[in-house]
């Protein structure tokens, strides 16, 4: 373990050099112009080994105002560029990402703590959304409508909004930004990004990567801006009437604050908030699919995905069989340095996350839960950061307060249902969140009930796959306390644009709608 960690430190310095990340970095940029920021110094420690990777000096109100001014100027130019040409710029960004997929994936893994394979997967998501956006740049279509008035034609079309403010979370420190920016850019918008203070170096790296495209094409710097700072910067963005759309990813608590502030000024918000995701396991489920789907969903990214599997709702006729299989699989998990590809589980993001994990385990015991796989913090060689924990399993009731709450950690709750799949769906839906859901069944009627309007109330509903791991082609998002936002594929692009209905009279008369007569 120690040899692997030592090697990872050497590799990370090479990674920082490739991505243009210095030991001390500015936390604010407009394109290629990096400000001499004077905010607080943010130190980025790796949860892998506790090492200080590099520092970022946070941006302040002054830099924020400069970003806004430059973005407003750039928008006037960028919105006039034909959409397919904007798509070409996004295509070039995708090509730059392909060149640095491995180093950027390694930085994601080392700074955030997810496995290297997941880090690579996150960068691949960025590449995929660029490819998607390139094709979409020739398909930003409206509709032709039939008018009730003679010699009139109606249609609707979509126009750029302006500045899109992006507030992202630590668990996907690069992909969620790309989901938003790739679509916003082809729609003609410009972007200001506030990444998580828990993974600031990933933000610096992404800015550097897109800056190569800006420079190569002589584009206005304000197309892409970065402002790393505390919650006050996010609040300022949410309250800013110059930013018509705020896309925010994070906790439900944070999202409610953003939604309230944006709503007060009648702006638009796109919210991707908490999840409390369940897999229903029916009597006909194939255990060969249940076990890997449930285990990856529960322990992938150390349970720090918004789509992580939190609950297994198992029919009582197969409960013991499923329980034994899941517990056995947990016994095979390898926990350690995520850059070592033989490990399944890396660390939590920081010690605050560890404290929340321990508190959740304490609370489930207090509420009467039965711990099947003990949790705890790992110590000793290779675990010096204090951020490595054991994935835990507990038998619990859906009504427990802690089960109703999203704990961003690898804790899986097992519970029974005894009747039809209708009962299981009611249990699944009976939480405040509504992001991702899944059912494991080979019964077509159960499948269709789960997918019907009376079934899962989540934004994502899967059959015979887990809750985690969405493709960019589909719209991503959830209902209830998840916020109602949709990002990525399908027609999610429409939120980045304003809709306009047009009516053209090509006749010589002026008839009024609804047959109204007005004569002079």
């Amino acid at each position: 373990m120690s040899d692997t960690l030592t090697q990872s430190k050497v590799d990370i310095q090479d990674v920082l050099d490739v991505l243009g990340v210095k030991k001390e970095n500015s936390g604010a940029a407009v394109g290629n112009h990096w400000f001499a920021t004077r905010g607080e110094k943010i130190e980025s420690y790796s949860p892998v080994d506790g090492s200080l990777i590099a520092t970022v000096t946070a941006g302040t109100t002054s830099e924020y105002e400069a970003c806004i001014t430059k973005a407003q100027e750039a928008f006037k130019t960028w919105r006039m560029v034909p959409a397919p040409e904007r798509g070409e710029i996004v295509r070039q960004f995708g090509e730059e990402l392909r060149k640095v997929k491995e180093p950027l994936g390694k930085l994601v893994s080392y700074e955030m703590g997810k496995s290297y394979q997941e880090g690579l997967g996150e960068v691949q998501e960025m590449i995929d959304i660029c490819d998607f956006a390139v094709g979409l740049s020739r398909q930003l279509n409206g509709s032709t409508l039939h008018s009730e008035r003679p010699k009139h034609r109606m249609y609707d079309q979509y126009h750029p909004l302006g500045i899109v403010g992006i507030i992202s979370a630590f668990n996907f420190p690069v992909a969620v930004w790309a989901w938003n920016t790739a679509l916003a850019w082809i729609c003609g918008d410009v972007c200001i990004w506030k990444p998580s203070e828990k993974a600031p170096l990933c933000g610096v790296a992404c800015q550097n990567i897109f800056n190569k495209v800006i420079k190569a094409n002589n584009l206005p710097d304000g197309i892409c801006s970065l402002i790393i700072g505390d919650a006050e910067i996010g609040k300022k963005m949410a309250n800013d009437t110059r930013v018509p759309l705020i896309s925010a990813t994070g906790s439900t608590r944070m999202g409610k604050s953003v939604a309230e502030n944006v709503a007060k000024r009648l702006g638009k918000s796109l919210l991707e908030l908490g999840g409390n995701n369940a897999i229903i396991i029916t009597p006909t489920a194939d255990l060969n699919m249940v076990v890997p789907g449930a285990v990856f969903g529960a322990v992938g990214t150390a349970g720090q995905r918004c789509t992580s599997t939190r609950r297994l709702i198992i029919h009582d006729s197969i409960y013991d069989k499923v329980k034994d299989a899941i517990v056995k699989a947990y016994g095979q998990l390898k926990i350690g340095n995520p850059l070592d590809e033989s490990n399944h589980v890396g660390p939590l993001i920081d010690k605050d996350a560890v404290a929340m994990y321990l508190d959740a385990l304490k609370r489930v015991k207090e509420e009467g839960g039965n711990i099947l796989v003990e949790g705890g913090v790992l110590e000793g060689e290779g675990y010096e950061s204090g951020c490595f924990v054991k994935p835990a399993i507990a038998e619990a009731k859906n009504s427990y307060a802690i089960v109703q709450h999203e704990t961003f950690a690898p804790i899986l709750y097992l519970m029974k249902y005894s009747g039809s799949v209708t009962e299981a769906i009611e249990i699944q839906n009976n939480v405040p969140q509504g992001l991702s859901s899944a059912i494991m069944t080979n019964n077509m009627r159960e499948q269709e009930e789960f997918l019907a309007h009376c079934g899962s109330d989540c934004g994502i509903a899967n059959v015979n796959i887990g809750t985690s791991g969405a493709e960019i082609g589909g719209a991503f998002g959830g209902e209830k306390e998840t916020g109602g936002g949709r990002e990525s594929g399908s027609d999610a692009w429409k939120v980045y644009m304003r809709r306009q209905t047009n009516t053209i009279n090509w006749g010589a008369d002026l008839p009024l709608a609804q047959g109204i007569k007005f004569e002079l």
Side-chain angles (χ1 to χ4, degrees):
M1 181 71 73
S2 58
D3 290 341
T4 304
L5 288 172
T6 301
Q7 183 62 39
S8 74
K9 291 179 183 178
V10 175
D11 291 345
I12 288 301
Q13 186 54 58
D14 294 341
V15 163
L16 297 179
D17 292 341
V18 169
L19 299 174
V21 179
K22 305 170 185 176
K23 283 298 181 182
E24 296 184 358
N25 301 273
S26 166
V30 176
N32 280 284
H33 175 71
W34 290 88
F35 294 96
T37 48
R38 296 180 176 84
E40 293 185 2
K41 183 172 288 188
I42 299 171
E43 296 178 323
S44 181
Y45 289 92
S46 172
V48 176
D49 56 19
S51 296
L52 176 63
I53 310 172
T55 63
V56 173
T57 303
T60 64
T61 300
S62 176
E63 286 81 42
Y64 174 79
E65 288 297 328
C67 287
I68 290 289
T69 299
K70 287 294 185 182
Q72 287 177 312
E73 294 173 1
F75 175 60
K76 294 176 183 178
T77 301
W78 185 239
R79 66 184 177 183
M80 300 305 295
V81 175
E85 290 186 28
R86 299 194 295 255
E88 167 59 18
I89 298 303
V90 174
R91 186 197 68 79
Q92 292 180 33
F93 179 49
E95 289 303 306
E96 291 298 328
L97 289 170
R98 285 178 169 89
K99 295 176 186 176
V100 295
K101 178 178 177 179
E102 291 187 4
L104 184 56
K106 187 167 287 186
L107 177 60
V108 168
S109 178
Y110 191 62
E111 186 175 33
M112 183 267 149
K114 64 176 59 177
S115 74
Y116 180 45
Q117 281 300 310
E118 291 182 77
L120 292 174
E122 185 167 346
V123 182
Q124 186 61 49
E125 280 193 70
M126 302 174 76
I127 295 168
D128 291 345
I129 196 64
C130 286
D131 288 349
F132 180 88
V134 172
L136 189 61
S137 67
R138 294 181 181 271
Q139 300 179 66
L140 301 175
N141 55 292
S143 301
T144 299
L145 310 169
H146 290 277
S147 174
E148 66 184 60
R149 289 168 282 183
K151 296 185 179 180
H152 281 60
R153 179 167 62 87
M154 298 176 64
Y155 67 95
D156 58 22
Q157 62 177 328
Y158 291 84
H159 297 294
L161 282 174
I163 301 173
V164 173
I166 302 165
I167 302 171
S168 64
F170 74 85
N171 60 333
F172 280 83
V174 296
V176 172
W177 168 72
W179 285 3
N180 283 275
T181 50
L183 296 189
W185 283 331
I186 62 105
C187 289
D189 299 318
V190 298
C191 300
I192 297 178
W193 179 27
K194 179 196 174 302
S196 170
E197 308 97 290
K198 294 186 177 184
L201 304 181
C202 287
V204 172
C206 288
Q207 184 74 25
N208 285 335
I209 294 166
F210 190 71
N211 281 349
K212 294 180 181 180
V213 180
I214 289 178
K215 186 176 181 180
N217 293 273
N218 195 31
L219 298 171
D221 279 339
I223 291 174
C224 179
S225 299
L226 177 76
I227 182 85
I228 299 171
D230 59 18
E232 291 305 312
I233 292 293
K235 290 178 183 177
K236 188 169 184 62
M237 193 181 290
N239 283 290
D240 197 332
T241 57
R242 298 167 295 181
V243 184
L245 172 64
I246 298 292
S247 175
T249 305
S251 68
T252 297
R253 177 188 55 79
M254 179 277 291
K256 288 180 177 179
S257 174
V258 170
E260 181 180 359
N261 287 315
V262 173
K264 284 179 180 177
R265 59 179 177 86
L266 298 181
K268 297 173 68 175
S269 57
L270 191 170
L271 302 175
E272 297 290 354
L273 311 176
N276 197 344
N277 316 296
I279 301 178
I280 296 171
I281 304 173
T282 75
T284 64
D286 183 343
L287 276 188
N288 291 326
M289 300 173 74
V290 167
V291 173
V295 175
F296 174 74
V299 307
T301 321
Q304 296 172 113
R305 292 187 176 207
C306 49
T307 55
S308 290
T309 305
R310 310 291 179 199
R311 298 172 292 148
L312 295 187
I313 305 168
I314 309 165
H315 194 272
D316 60 4
S317 65
I318 57 168
Y319 181 82
D320 288 338
K321 187 177 182 179
V322 173
K323 177 181 71 173
D324 292 345
I326 297 290
V327 169
K328 181 180 178 181
Y330 268 53
Q332 300 171 5
L333 293 174
K334 296 179 181 178
I335 308 167
N337 178 5
L339 294 173
D340 181 346
E341 295 186 61
S342 67
N343 290 323
H344 302 102
V345 184
L348 293 178
I349 184 65
D350 55 26
K351 291 183 179 179
D352 288 341
V354 173
M356 286 189 288
Y357 156 85
L358 293 173
D359 181 64
L361 289 176
K362 177 183 176 184
R363 289 176 60 186
V364 74
K365 291 178 184 177
E366 291 173 347
E367 292 194 63
N370 176 38
I371 303 297
L372 295 173
V373 176
E374 289 285 346
V377 181
L378 292 167
E379 299 176 344
E381 185 180 6
Y383 305 122
E384 291 86 354
S385 69
C387 296
F388 289 88
V389 302
K390 300 175 186 177
I393 302 177
E395 292 179 302
K397 294 181 179 179
N398 201 63
S399 58
Y400 289 176
I402 189 60
V403 175
Q404 293 281 310
H405 174 77
E406 180 192 40
T407 301
F408 233 48
I411 302 174
L412 180 64
Y413 301 114
L414 272 54
M415 55 197 70
K416 298 178 183 179
Y417 77 99
S418 57
S420 70
V421 74
T422 303
E423 176 189 343
I425 293 170
E426 288 175 354
I427 294 171
Q428 177 209 276
N429 291 347
N430 191 21
V431 291
Q433 309 84 359
L435 179 52
S436 187
S437 58
I439 187 170
M440 295 287 188
T441 182
N442 285 317
N443 183 310
M444 183 187 72
R445 289 178 176 174
E446 290 179 333
Q447 166 190 308
E448 293 304 315
E449 181 173 346
F450 177 75
L451 297 175
H453 62 273
C454 57
S456 171
D457 66 0
C458 296
I460 299 169
N462 299 327
V463 177
N464 290 330
I465 61 173
T467 62
S468 187
E471 299 179 27
I472 60 91
F476 180 90
E479 301 302 319
K480 301 189 295 188
E481 287 195 356
T482 302
R486 292 298 185 275
E487 294 174 320
S488 193
S490 187
D491 65 349
W493 62 271
K494 292 180 179 178
V495 75
Y496 303 94
M497 306 194 82
R498 59 180 177 88
R499 185 170 182 163
Q500 183 182 79
T501 300
N502 306 117
T503 305
I504 300 168
N505 178 3
W506 53 276
D509 299 315
L510 191 65
L512 300 178
Q514 293 84 49
I516 294 173
K517 302 294 183 181
F518 184 78
E519 298 179 358
L520 295 174

